[in-house]
């Protein structure tokens, strides 16, 4: 009998096999280890080339059942090799079918056991671990923990006895499944065991996913990272310090690296016991504060393949960078916040962009009904000007569609109701026009005959005074209307409206913003924001007056476009105070982090949001006989007034030379006014009665302050020379790229193709500046060039 063939390339564990012992030609029994290696040092093991261990089946398949030693592939004919591969494939399919059937049966059996179990209130294991039940059940004397996939389907259960003995349901699937504790909000912690997960949740209040073993960490983490792309994911490792290779930390690190998540390891005293390995042990020995401190100290481990051996100089700060702050979504009224979060869960656009759409809808619906008084003789509209600087593809128009649905429905409803009035007006105007034309013809005839005894001028004047006026039909949303068209519509058609545009380049780059008319049109838009009377004189067409009108602007513009607008207007955009009136946001892009999800069957939060807008819109607009709005005046309650004054004064103190807001004093000087406007919108939308309360005022101030920070970020960089701003813009883009691609270096070709600085010489200068600051370096790999990011920037180091 020839020697068996050793197949080191096949991973038995990965094939899902449990290898039996086998007999070698020397008559010795050799065992298989779980990784397919020989279990002792005394020789080789026997293995057939089809991937099925010798001795696994009671009888050998036809054609090889009389041979004990596997044939080498080189000894087979082509026909034998083909038949052999077909047999291997058939066996693999059969195994997969058998596995699927076992798992299906196990799932049904586990579901039955779960249904028969009772909610756990106390249990010796819970007492021993010092934890709460967290929704697990009890069957007999055992705890029962459900094991589900990311869609919530139950696949198996784990049972835990009073002494802590753990068993999985026979045949049930565990891989890729987990047990959730708590609902994800901002942070999701992923750990191995139930007791560990319970301790983590109780110590931090964060949601936890229990994956049951270290080998399951990475697969569940990737699945949950895809399901919850916005959450901060923390992998809470078991510290298997007495086990070779420390599999708890090793597997947790790999899982964190897979999603650019954070890694937390329990920190025990120096005299820790051998059995102290996980966060439940730390919870029992050091308390909840020790657990929470470790989670808060979690850091992003280096991406796979990162070179940590190369020396990096000390990080130097980027003077141009002002880091963005999280949008204060909790400051929005509950009904608005829930709608924003509901849209965000599906659309996955940046939260500030979605919130801008929501605030624009509030402003459009409410501006005709309410003004706000900040102090005696200091009052104005509650209309908002909103500007989001973002690249095309951020889905702003989609967000606008959700939040303006009630407004568009209202417009359509009013237009339909007005059709009889429009028809009647057309008939009356046609009759009037015919009468006027006839009178003009009679005047011409009298003039030709030279009959001075009849003066028809008074009759013509009286007729002109009686010209039928068109019915006023609400049109609230304008797309890319020019300032001239907008002011005429507000005067002649409906005194409340808004420019809502996801491609505001057509607004900023329109003919109305040309050098001949930009000053006049910027001034007109400023006056509409202020709510004052606007007189428009024309030579060739009718002059008109805009009185008591209200205007909302909600624009998204690409960074390059707004920069070009600033350049073309030569400072007028800021010098006239136009930009100062806007609530600016410069959100971080979510493109590349938006995995597809099915639309929800129901949108309860959006339904409530649009329902409330509809109620407001259906209230008759307060329009006087001259077509001007006369909104109700909202005042501030005493404590809200005190809060507004404090907010105003805090900003004012930072406007002087050398202070924090000096460079954006134009925007900052309007921030308190915008805060009062936001408070009026919140007050009205929530159907509050009486004066505006302090809660609405404080919430509005937080949002206005956030927008002021965004204005500082954008305008501060805008005012810088390109050579100063480019390194910060380049680094920000590269960090996003590295986190998205799980790498620490960016090909220069990718920078030139997609980066924010694409011209060769400015790009090279920016890279060299980052290199001098110890933040990046240019490296060569074969014929390719990369920019390597300092690992400290990717792992939470000083930025």
């Amino acid at each position: 009998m020839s020697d068996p063939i050793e197949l080191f390339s096949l991973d038995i564990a990965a094939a899902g096999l449990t290898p039996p012992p086998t007999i070698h030609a020397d008559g010795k029994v050799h065992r298989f280890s779980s990784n397919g290696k020989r279990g002792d040092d005394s020789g080789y093991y026997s293995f057939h080339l089809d991937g099925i261990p010798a001795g696994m089946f009671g009888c050998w398949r036809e054609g090889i059942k009389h041979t004990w030693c596997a044939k080498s592939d080189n000894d087979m004919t082509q026909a034998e090799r083909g038949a052999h591969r077909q047999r291997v494939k058939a066996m693999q399919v059969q195994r997969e079918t058998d596995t699927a059937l076992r798992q299906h049966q196990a799932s049904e059996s586990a579901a039955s056991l779960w249904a028969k179990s009772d909610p756990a209130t106390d249990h010796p294991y819970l007492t021993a671990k010092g934890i709460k039940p967290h929704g697990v059940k009890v069957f007999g004397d055992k705890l029962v923990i459900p094991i589900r996939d990311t869609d919530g389907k139950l696949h198996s259960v784990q049972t835990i006895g009073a002494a802590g003995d753990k068993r999985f349901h026979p045949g049930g699937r565990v891989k890729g499944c987990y047990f959730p504790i708590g609902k994800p909000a901002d942070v999701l912690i992923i750990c191995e065991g139930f007791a560990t997960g319970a301790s983590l949740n109780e110590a931090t209040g964060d949601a936890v996913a229990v994956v049951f073993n270290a080998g399951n960490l990475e697969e569940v983490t990737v699945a949950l990272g895809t399901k919850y792309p916005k959450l901060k994911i923390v992998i809470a490792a078991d510290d298997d310090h007495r086990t070779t290779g420390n599999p708890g930390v090793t597997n947790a690190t790999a899982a964190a690296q897979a999603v650019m998540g954070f890694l937390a390891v329990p920190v025990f005293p120096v005299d820790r016991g051998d059995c102290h390995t996980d966060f439940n042990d730390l919870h029992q020995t050091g308390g909840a504060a020790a657990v929470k401190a470790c989670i808060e100290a979690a850091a992003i481990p280096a991406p796979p393949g990162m070179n940590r051996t190369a020396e990096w100089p000390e990080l130097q700060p980027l003077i141009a960078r002002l880091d963005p702050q999280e949008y204060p979504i909790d400051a929005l009224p509950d009904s608005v916040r829930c709608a924003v979060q509901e849209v965000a869960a599906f659309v996955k656009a940046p939260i500030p962009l979605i919130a801008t759409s929501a605030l624009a809808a509030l402003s459009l619906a409410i501006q005709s009904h309410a003004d706000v008084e900040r102090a005696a003789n200091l009052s104005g509209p509650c209309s908002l000007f909103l500007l989001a600087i973002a690249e095309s593809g951020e889905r702003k128009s989609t967000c606008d569609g959700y939040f303006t649905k009630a407004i568009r429905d209202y417009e359509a409803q009013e237009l339909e109701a007005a059709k009889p009035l429009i028809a009647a007006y057309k008939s009356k105007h046609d009759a009037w026009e015919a009468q006027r034309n006839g009178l003009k013809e009679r005047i011409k005839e009298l003039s030709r005959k030279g009959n001075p005894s009849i003066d028809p001028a008074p009759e013509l004047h009286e007729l002109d005074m009686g010209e039928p006026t068109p019915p006023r039909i609400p049109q609230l949303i304008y797309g890319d209307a020019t300032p001239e068209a907008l002011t005429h519509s507000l005067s002649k058609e409906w005194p409340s409206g808004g420019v809502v545009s996801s491609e505001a380049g057509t607004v900023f780059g329109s003919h109305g913003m040309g050098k001949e008319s930009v000053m006049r049109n910027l001034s007109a838009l400023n006056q509409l924001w202020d709510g004052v009377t606007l007189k428009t004189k024309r030579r060739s067409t009718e002059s008109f007056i805009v009185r008591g009108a209200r205007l909302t602007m909600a624009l998204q513009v690409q960074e390059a476009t707004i920069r070009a607008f600033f350049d073309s207007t030569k400072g007028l955009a800021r010098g006239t105070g136009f930009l100062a009136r806007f609530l600016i946001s410069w959100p971080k892009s979510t493109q590349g982090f938006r995995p597809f999800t099915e639309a929800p069957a129901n949108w309860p939060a959006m339904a409530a949001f649009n329902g409330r807008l509809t109620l407001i819109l259906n209230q008759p607009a307060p329009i006087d006989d001259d077509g001007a709005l006369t909104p109700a005046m909202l005042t501030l309650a005493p404590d809200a007034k005190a809060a507004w004054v404090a907010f105003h004064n805090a900003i004012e103190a930072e406007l002087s030379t050398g202070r924090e807001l000096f460079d954006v004093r134009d925007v900052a000087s309007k921030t308190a006014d915008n805060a009062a406007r936001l408070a009026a919108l919140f007050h009205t939308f929530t159907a509050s009665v009486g004066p505006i309360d302090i809660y609405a005022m404080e919430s509005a101030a937080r949002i206005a302050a956030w927008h002021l920070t965004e204005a500082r970020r954008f305008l501060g960089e805008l005012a810088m020379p390109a050579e100063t701003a480019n390194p910060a813009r380049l680094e920000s883009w590269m960090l996003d790229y590295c986190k998205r691609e799980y790498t620490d270096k960016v090909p220069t070709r990718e920078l030139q193709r997609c980066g924010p600085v694409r011209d060769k010489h400015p790009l090279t200068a920016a890279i060299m500046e980052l290199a001098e600051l110890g933040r990046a370096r240019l490296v060569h790999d074969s014929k390719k060039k990369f920019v390597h990011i300092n690992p400290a920037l990717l792992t939470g180091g000083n930025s």
Side-chain angles (χ1 to χ4, degrees), residues 562-606:
I562 193 69
R563 289 178 182 275
F565 175 68
F566 272 78
D567 292 341
S568 66
T569 59
K570 302 187 185 304
L572 285 178
R574 291 194 70 176
T576 61
F578 174 64
L579 200 69
R581 289 163 164 78
F582 280 87
L583 292 172
I584 297 174
S585 60
W586 191 16
K588 186 177 181 180
S589 175
T590 58
Q591 294 187 52
F593 299 91
R594 305 177 301 190
F596 175 79
T597 53
E598 295 288 350
N602 299 296
W603 298 77
M606 279 308 308

Side-chain angles (χ1 to χ4, degrees), residues 320-325 327 350 352-353 356 387-391 557-560 562-563 583-589 706-707 709-718 725 728-729 732 756:
R321 167 168 289 175
L322 185 62
D323 291 330
Q325 297 179 358
Y327 186 85
L353 209 61
T356 293
L387 177 65
I389 297 104
E391 294 306 307
V557 64
Q558 295 184 35
E559 183 181 335
I562 193 69
R563 289 178 182 275
L583 292 172
I584 297 174
S585 60
W586 191 16
K588 186 177 181 180
S589 175
W706 181 87
H707 282 285
T709 301
E710 289 291 277
R712 286 183 63 210
R713 287 180 60 227
F714 181 71
L715 296 176
E717 184 173 313
L718 190 68
R729 296 172 62 213
S732 179

Side-chain angles (χ1 to χ4, degrees), residues 389-407:
I389 297 104
E391 294 306 307
S392 179
E394 293 294 353
R395 300 177 176 170
K396 183 182 185 301
S397 56
T398 302
C399 299
D400 287 340
Y402 284 110
F403 288 97
T404 60
K405 181 181 184 303
I407 298 172

